[in-house]
Amino acid sequence: WPATPAVKHWAKFAFAVFFCHWLSACSTTPESPGQQDLLVWPPAPKPARFHYLTTLRSGADIEVADDQARLRTIITGEKRHGIELGKPAGIAAGRGMLYITDSRLRLVHVFDVPRRRYFQFGFRREGTLGKPLGIALDNRQQVYVVDAYSRQVVVYDRYGLFQRFIGSREDLTRPTAIAVSQAGDRIYVVDTGGVEDLRHRVVVYDAAGNKVSEIGTRGAAPGEFNLPIGAALGKDGQLYVLDAGNFRIQVFDRNGDFIRMWGGVGDGYGQFSRPKAIASDNAGNIYVADASFGNVQVFDADGRLLLPLGRRSQQDAPGQYALLNGLAIDELDYLYLIDQGFRKVDVIRKLRQY
């Protein structure tokens, strides 16, 4: 791994998780054969490209336990309890920080990996959230949260201190997701619209919060949307929009001009059934989470399918999902998957590039 602080802390965290599981196993029944095998995608004999690392469910999964708590875990096998995820909606990650919006608890969970700390924000004074959904970061580690209740974007610093509002009820009808350029000079808010609403679009703002333009309207033609619910900025600077009602990905340049699209409804590879989230990695690949399939399909920037990750299941286990809903990738190409059904976040490490 590159010798950066975030990687070192993820490595220490993964070892701590493994060590705790090993200690716990000493006082419980043995696991079934093969359960401890390394979970990778694609499976052997193909070369592994992704590796399951760990699962986060509450603040207790990241915080450093005191001596008394560690001793109790070793002796009794009792798990530590922290503030659990209520209804995780959106996720963003960068520089060892993981931000998760929670539409039930109406706040943002923060997992600070390098410091092994957990905290929350979005529920005090100015900047209080009503229904937080989409979330994104810029390279200054400003946090942009879509509040569907107030119909605006609330901006915080990395520690949750309120900075400003972007947008208004006059601008936005039903905002759900957001993508932000690294410099923070372009803020793309996905306005999903409703069944009888024609304003299915992406609203673009500048760094000062001024409305710059709108992309799209309701329809099925190239450049039009039907219930868009996600957006991501690729390595190439192009905007990738998850056009869920049309079961496709549409790609636009910085000026909002249509470039290309791919996808379609179905249960085959490269098709979508209930797409929920989209993200891009450092190689320019595009990831789409589908709640019906319970997996993430990985595409190159031109829409060619590379591989699927995970599968749908009613049994909670690594790489198995009941209701995928959120997706994020950090600067080190760690992948974070939100499962609303099991109220968890799976952390997956990318091993090699395509």
Side-chain angles (χ1 to χ4, degrees), residues 65-86:
D66 57 28
D67 291 341
Q68 185 177 4
R70 282 196 294 267
L71 182 61
R72 185 168 58 249
T73 298
I74 293 170
I75 294 173
T76 68
E78 174 187 335
K79 292 183 179 179
R80 295 178 62 228
H81 296 284
I83 299 173
E84 296 183 347
L85 302 176

mmCIF file of all heavy atoms in Angstrom, residues 65-86:
data_model
loop_
_atom_site.group_PDB
_atom_site.id
_atom_site.type_symbol
_atom_site.label_atom_id
_atom_site.label_comp_id
_atom_site.label_asym_id
_atom_site.label_seq_id
_atom_site.Cartn_x
_atom_site.Cartn_y
_atom_site.Cartn_z
ATOM 1 N N ALA A 65 -11.506 1.265 22.225
ATOM 2 C CA ALA A 65 -12.111 0.835 23.490
ATOM 3 C C ALA A 65 -11.136 1.063 24.640
ATOM 4 O O ALA A 65 -9.919 0.955 24.477
ATOM 5 C CB ALA A 65 -12.483 -0.644 23.411
ATOM 6 N N ASP A 66 -11.681 1.367 25.834
ATOM 7 C CA ASP A 66 -10.805 1.473 26.994
ATOM 8 C C ASP A 66 -10.446 0.066 27.489
ATOM 9 O O ASP A 66 -10.962 -0.944 27.010
ATOM 10 C CB ASP A 66 -11.460 2.304 28.114
ATOM 11 C CG ASP A 66 -12.805 1.737 28.558
ATOM 12 O OD1 ASP A 66 -13.016 0.513 28.447
ATOM 13 O OD2 ASP A 66 -13.644 2.518 29.032
ATOM 14 N N ASP A 67 -9.537 -0.014 28.466
ATOM 15 C CA ASP A 67 -9.042 -1.312 28.939
ATOM 16 C C ASP A 67 -10.157 -2.182 29.488
ATOM 17 O O ASP A 67 -10.193 -3.402 29.254
ATOM 18 C CB ASP A 67 -7.981 -1.103 30.030
ATOM 19 C CG ASP A 67 -6.707 -0.493 29.455
ATOM 20 O OD1 ASP A 67 -6.526 -0.590 28.226
ATOM 21 O OD2 ASP A 67 -5.927 0.080 30.228
ATOM 22 N N GLN A 68 -11.106 -1.575 30.201
ATOM 23 C CA GLN A 68 -12.197 -2.346 30.801
ATOM 24 C C GLN A 68 -13.088 -2.953 29.724
ATOM 25 O O GLN A 68 -13.481 -4.121 29.801
ATOM 26 C CB GLN A 68 -13.030 -1.453 31.725
ATOM 27 C CG GLN A 68 -14.116 -2.209 32.481
ATOM 28 C CD GLN A 68 -14.868 -1.296 33.438
ATOM 29 O OE1 GLN A 68 -14.639 -0.090 33.487
ATOM 30 N NE2 GLN A 68 -15.770 -1.877 34.209
ATOM 31 N N ALA A 69 -13.385 -2.166 28.680
ATOM 32 C CA ALA A 69 -14.243 -2.670 27.600
ATOM 33 C C ALA A 69 -13.548 -3.787 26.831
ATOM 34 O O ALA A 69 -14.167 -4.782 26.456
ATOM 35 C CB ALA A 69 -14.623 -1.528 26.660
ATOM 36 N N ARG A 70 -12.240 -3.624 26.583
ATOM 37 C CA ARG A 70 -11.502 -4.672 25.875
ATOM 38 C C ARG A 70 -11.475 -5.969 26.684
ATOM 39 O O ARG A 70 -11.637 -7.060 26.140
ATOM 40 C CB ARG A 70 -10.077 -4.193 25.595
ATOM 41 C CG ARG A 70 -9.971 -3.242 24.420
ATOM 42 C CD ARG A 70 -8.528 -3.116 23.965
ATOM 43 N NE ARG A 70 -7.708 -2.477 24.986
ATOM 44 C CZ ARG A 70 -7.464 -1.173 25.043
ATOM 45 N NH1 ARG A 70 -7.996 -0.377 24.138
ATOM 46 N NH2 ARG A 70 -6.686 -0.665 25.996
ATOM 47 N N LEU A 71 -11.281 -5.857 27.984
ATOM 48 C CA LEU A 71 -11.241 -7.043 28.834
ATOM 49 C C LEU A 71 -12.594 -7.750 28.833
ATOM 50 O O LEU A 71 -12.665 -8.984 28.742
ATOM 51 C CB LEU A 71 -10.838 -6.653 30.264
ATOM 52 C CG LEU A 71 -10.710 -7.815 31.263
ATOM 53 C CD1 LEU A 71 -9.639 -8.794 30.806
ATOM 54 C CD2 LEU A 71 -10.392 -7.277 32.659
ATOM 55 N N ARG A 72 -13.672 -6.980 28.888
ATOM 56 C CA ARG A 72 -15.006 -7.576 28.879
ATOM 57 C C ARG A 72 -15.268 -8.306 27.566
ATOM 58 O O ARG A 72 -15.869 -9.388 27.547
ATOM 59 C CB ARG A 72 -16.061 -6.489 29.104
ATOM 60 C CG ARG A 72 -17.482 -7.053 29.222
ATOM 61 C CD ARG A 72 -18.456 -6.008 29.728
ATOM 62 N NE ARG A 72 -18.504 -4.835 28.868
ATOM 63 C CZ ARG A 72 -18.057 -3.628 29.201
ATOM 64 N NH1 ARG A 72 -17.507 -3.435 30.393
ATOM 65 N NH2 ARG A 72 -18.142 -2.612 28.366
ATOM 66 N N THR A 73 -14.800 -7.732 26.465
ATOM 67 C CA THR A 73 -14.972 -8.383 25.160
ATOM 68 C C THR A 73 -14.215 -9.699 25.104
ATOM 69 O O THR A 73 -14.725 -10.714 24.616
ATOM 70 C CB THR A 73 -14.487 -7.444 24.043
ATOM 71 O OG1 THR A 73 -15.279 -6.252 24.053
ATOM 72 C CG2 THR A 73 -14.593 -8.110 22.684
ATOM 73 N N ILE A 74 -12.978 -9.699 25.611
ATOM 74 C CA ILE A 74 -12.152 -10.904 25.578
ATOM 75 C C ILE A 74 -12.746 -12.013 26.435
ATOM 76 O O ILE A 74 -12.825 -13.174 26.026
ATOM 77 C CB ILE A 74 -10.720 -10.578 26.057
ATOM 78 C CG1 ILE A 74 -10.031 -9.658 25.029
ATOM 79 C CG2 ILE A 74 -9.901 -11.847 26.252
ATOM 80 C CD1 ILE A 74 -8.712 -9.097 25.510
ATOM 81 N N ILE A 75 -13.220 -11.669 27.633
ATOM 82 C CA ILE A 75 -13.701 -12.678 28.576
ATOM 83 C C ILE A 75 -15.078 -13.220 28.203
ATOM 84 O O ILE A 75 -15.325 -14.423 28.227
ATOM 85 C CB ILE A 75 -13.737 -12.102 30.013
ATOM 86 C CG1 ILE A 75 -12.306 -11.803 30.479
ATOM 87 C CG2 ILE A 75 -14.414 -13.071 30.965
ATOM 88 C CD1 ILE A 75 -12.241 -11.087 31.812
ATOM 89 N N THR A 76 -15.982 -12.315 27.834
ATOM 90 C CA THR A 76 -17.378 -12.716 27.628
ATOM 91 C C THR A 76 -17.781 -12.832 26.162
ATOM 92 O O THR A 76 -18.812 -13.420 25.851
ATOM 93 C CB THR A 76 -18.321 -11.710 28.299
ATOM 94 O OG1 THR A 76 -18.245 -10.449 27.592
ATOM 95 C CG2 THR A 76 -17.952 -11.509 29.764
ATOM 96 N N GLY A 77 -16.994 -12.230 25.271
ATOM 97 C CA GLY A 77 -17.406 -12.216 23.868
ATOM 98 C C GLY A 77 -18.481 -11.186 23.599
ATOM 99 O O GLY A 77 -18.988 -11.072 22.485
ATOM 100 N N GLU A 78 -18.832 -10.405 24.610
ATOM 101 C CA GLU A 78 -19.867 -9.380 24.475
ATOM 102 C C GLU A 78 -19.404 -8.290 23.528
ATOM 103 O O GLU A 78 -18.282 -7.796 23.611
ATOM 104 C CB GLU A 78 -20.167 -8.771 25.851
ATOM 105 C CG GLU A 78 -21.130 -7.602 25.818
ATOM 106 C CD GLU A 78 -21.245 -6.935 27.184
ATOM 107 O OE1 GLU A 78 -20.986 -7.608 28.198
ATOM 108 O OE2 GLU A 78 -21.589 -5.738 27.227
ATOM 109 N N LYS A 79 -20.273 -7.903 22.619
ATOM 110 C CA LYS A 79 -19.926 -6.876 21.652
ATOM 111 C C LYS A 79 -20.140 -5.492 22.259
ATOM 112 O O LYS A 79 -21.034 -5.282 23.069
ATOM 113 C CB LYS A 79 -20.797 -7.014 20.396
ATOM 114 C CG LYS A 79 -20.506 -8.259 19.589
ATOM 115 C CD LYS A 79 -21.350 -8.268 18.325
ATOM 116 C CE LYS A 79 -21.058 -9.500 17.476
ATOM 117 N NZ LYS A 79 -21.889 -9.533 16.247
ATOM 118 N N ARG A 80 -19.278 -4.558 21.842
ATOM 119 C CA ARG A 80 -19.469 -3.176 22.250
ATOM 120 C C ARG A 80 -20.611 -2.576 21.440
ATOM 121 O O ARG A 80 -20.825 -2.927 20.283
ATOM 122 C CB ARG A 80 -18.192 -2.368 22.018
ATOM 123 C CG ARG A 80 -17.025 -2.808 22.860
ATOM 124 C CD ARG A 80 -15.787 -1.985 22.547
ATOM 125 N NE ARG A 80 -16.015 -0.599 22.857
ATOM 126 C CZ ARG A 80 -15.734 0.422 22.035
ATOM 127 N NH1 ARG A 80 -15.233 0.175 20.835
ATOM 128 N NH2 ARG A 80 -15.948 1.672 22.390
ATOM 129 N N HIS A 81 -21.336 -1.661 22.064
ATOM 130 C CA HIS A 81 -22.474 -1.033 21.397
ATOM 131 C C HIS A 81 -22.242 0.468 21.278
ATOM 132 O O HIS A 81 -21.779 1.114 22.204
ATOM 133 C CB HIS A 81 -23.769 -1.299 22.167
ATOM 134 C CG HIS A 81 -24.136 -2.744 22.209
ATOM 135 N ND1 HIS A 81 -24.678 -3.407 21.125
ATOM 136 C CD2 HIS A 81 -24.018 -3.667 23.191
ATOM 137 C CE1 HIS A 81 -24.895 -4.679 21.453
ATOM 138 N NE2 HIS A 81 -24.498 -4.856 22.694
ATOM 139 N N GLY A 82 -22.526 1.011 20.130
ATOM 140 C CA GLY A 82 -22.445 2.441 19.913
ATOM 141 C C GLY A 82 -23.725 2.913 19.271
ATOM 142 O O GLY A 82 -24.713 2.178 19.207
ATOM 143 N N ILE A 83 -23.732 4.135 18.786
ATOM 144 C CA ILE A 83 -24.904 4.680 18.105
ATOM 145 C C ILE A 83 -24.992 4.033 16.725
ATOM 146 O O ILE A 83 -24.120 4.224 15.873
ATOM 147 C CB ILE A 83 -24.815 6.199 17.993
ATOM 148 C CG1 ILE A 83 -24.771 6.821 19.398
ATOM 149 C CG2 ILE A 83 -25.989 6.758 17.193
ATOM 150 C CD1 ILE A 83 -24.520 8.296 19.412
ATOM 151 N N GLU A 84 -26.035 3.252 16.504
ATOM 152 C CA GLU A 84 -26.161 2.501 15.258
ATOM 153 C C GLU A 84 -26.765 3.357 14.151
ATOM 154 O O GLU A 84 -27.456 4.353 14.406
ATOM 155 C CB GLU A 84 -27.021 1.260 15.495
ATOM 156 C CG GLU A 84 -26.404 0.266 16.468
ATOM 157 C CD GLU A 84 -27.242 -0.985 16.626
ATOM 158 O OE1 GLU A 84 -28.407 -0.968 16.182
ATOM 159 O OE2 GLU A 84 -26.726 -1.962 17.181
ATOM 160 N N LEU A 85 -26.499 2.957 12.925
ATOM 161 C CA LEU A 85 -27.097 3.613 11.777
ATOM 162 C C LEU A 85 -28.606 3.390 11.808
ATOM 163 O O LEU A 85 -29.070 2.266 12.031
ATOM 164 C CB LEU A 85 -26.509 3.056 10.483
ATOM 165 C CG LEU A 85 -24.985 3.163 10.317
ATOM 166 C CD1 LEU A 85 -24.558 2.467 9.033
ATOM 167 C CD2 LEU A 85 -24.530 4.608 10.330
ATOM 168 N N GLY A 86 -29.371 4.454 11.585
ATOM 169 C CA GLY A 86 -30.822 4.343 11.580
ATOM 170 C C GLY A 86 -31.346 3.961 10.201
ATOM 171 O O GLY A 86 -31.759 2.831 9.952
#
